Amino acid sequence: MSSENTGANANGDCLGWAATDESGILSPYKFSRRSLQNDDVSVKITHCGICYADVLFPRNKHGNANYPMVPGHEIAGIVQEVGSNVHGFKVGDHVGIGTYVNSCRNCDYCGDGLEVFCEKGAVLTYNNVDEDGTITQGGFSSYIVAHQGQVCSTFLLKHAELVYCFRIPDGYPLASAAPLLCAGITVYTPMMRHKMNQPGKSLGVIGLGGLGHLAVKFGKAFGLNVTVFSTSTSKKEEALTLLGADNFVVSSDLEQMTALAKSLDYIIDTASGDHPFDPYMSLLKTAGVLVLVGAPSEVKLSPLSLLLGMKSISGSATGGTKQTQEMLDFCAAHKIYPNIEIVPIQYVNEALERLIKRDVKYRFVIDVESSLK
């Protein structure tokens, strides 16, 4: 599907890199952002992380692509302009924007701080229809406009405002903050929901990529005993030494897996490739939970894996505004930094190909400010 993407601000002053067809190949693109409204914040983008979504959406893997499409939803930058009703931010503030830039602000989910599950659909940061009818464009660009979020009157008792732009704590590097806005909150949210912040408990992490390495870092910060599961023995040294995991298990090694039977309180599964679930469910203690944050093509397991031991499997996708700010503050307080490889925007197509091959430790971050001219 094609879209004009002209927006209300028709001066075409935003520079970006966009896909124009299902090849997903990105190239320079000049376009217009929507005009700044009273409740909006305009952010000069300094850095943007590269998520696997930036592979899938531009290549129309979900069948709903709007071209030209500027990807990127792990955005860090500096406030350059605020609307007249904005009081929580000022020009010069360091801020982040994640996977969505607006929601209805009037449903139960928005009222409960779960805007990502908005009944009317959260407005995604790119490839989605914004409130003015234009198509949103992401963070592989020079600046972005996000709603600060004055709520409807029915929710004034619950929230004074909903903010889709998050304050990055003083001193926290903008390049490091970017991956937290998707990868970080995607693992932090279920960890908090399932009370995985209890010191002394045991956590298994399946997969050691952008999400998995942050799950390890959060787990250690929470005081958990962390075991990393991988199909590759090559990741053992980095899991134990670089990331500080307590144990490493090759998931295809039956002896190693059997030795851990009924030993884990929680498992976070970040793997998107198809894999068996029963072997992992057998590692959970009674009432243990496996949380799926990756996206395999199917989830297949025996009902007995759940019934025998009162175990459960759950899913999760990013998180709400309140918890995103909480996560950023937690990372700053506990000195949690994603492991990143910073690249210029001219390298973005190569970075996407390397991401497909899992050739990154552990998140690409585009230096937008220095390279996008």
Side-chain angles (χ1 to χ4, degrees), residues 206-286:
I206 303 174
L208 199 58
L211 275 66
H213 94 286
L214 283 169
V216 173
K217 287 174 181 274
F218 284 133
K220 294 305 298 177
F222 288 142
L224 305 179
N225 184 286
V226 180
T227 297
V228 170
F229 296 90
S230 177
T231 58
S232 172
T233 56
S234 64
K235 293 192 174 183
K236 181 175 182 178
E237 185 65 22
E238 59 197 71
L240 299 177
T241 304
L242 182 63
L243 300 177
D246 299 285
N247 304 293
F248 179 88
V249 171
V250 177
S251 55
S252 58
D253 188 316
L254 182 60
E255 184 177 348
Q256 290 185 44
M257 294 287 282
T258 302
L260 286 180
K262 300 181 181 180
S263 67
L264 302 176
D265 295 287
Y266 328 102
I267 295 174
I268 291 186
D269 186 350
T270 73
S272 288
D274 289 339
H275 56 282
F277 283 82
D278 290 309
Y280 292 109
M281 299 303 292
S282 72
L283 307 184
L284 290 170
K285 297 178 181 178
T286 298

Side-chain angles (χ1 to χ4, degrees), residues 59-214:
R59 300 181 188 207
N60 199 26
K61 296 301 183 181
H62 297 298
N64 63 347
N66 294 282
Y67 298 111
M69 183 195 302
V70 178
H73 60 203
E74 296 183 338
I75 300 166
I78 302 169
V79 174
Q80 62 182 2
E81 190 177 2
V82 298
S84 59
N85 291 340
V86 175
H87 305 294
F89 298 101
K90 65 182 185 303
V91 173
D93 284 347
H94 286 192
V95 296
I97 295 171
T99 60
Y100 53 97
V101 291
N102 208 344
S103 65
C104 81
R105 309 186 299 283
N106 198 34
C107 68
D108 288 343
Y109 296 109
C110 287
D112 288 337
L114 295 170
E115 301 86 354
V116 66
F117 302 115
C118 173
E119 287 182 3
K120 295 184 179 179
V123 178
L124 302 183
T125 304
Y126 68 91
N127 195 49
N128 213 188
V129 180
D130 211 339
E131 60 184 359
D132 67 343
T134 60
I135 303 299
T136 55
Q137 302 286 13
F140 294 4
S141 57
S142 54
Y143 78 96
I144 191 169
V145 176
H147 198 85
Q148 189 214 22
Q150 299 298 319
V151 302
C152 298
S153 59
T154 53
F155 278 118
L156 287 177
L157 293 178
K158 284 191 174 183
H159 294 288
E161 61 185 13
L162 299 177
V163 180
Y164 306 88
C165 185
F166 309 101
R167 186 177 302 280
I168 295 173
D170 293 342
Y172 197 91
L174 290 173
S176 297
L180 299 178
L181 278 305
C182 177
I185 190 61
T186 295
V187 293
Y188 183 87
T189 292
M191 293 183 85
M192 299 305 292
R193 182 185 305 130
H194 295 283
K195 298 180 173 56
M196 298 185 194
N197 57 347
Q198 302 176 64
K201 297 283 188 175
S202 53
L203 168 70
V205 177
I206 303 174
L208 199 58
L211 275 66
H213 94 286
L214 283 169

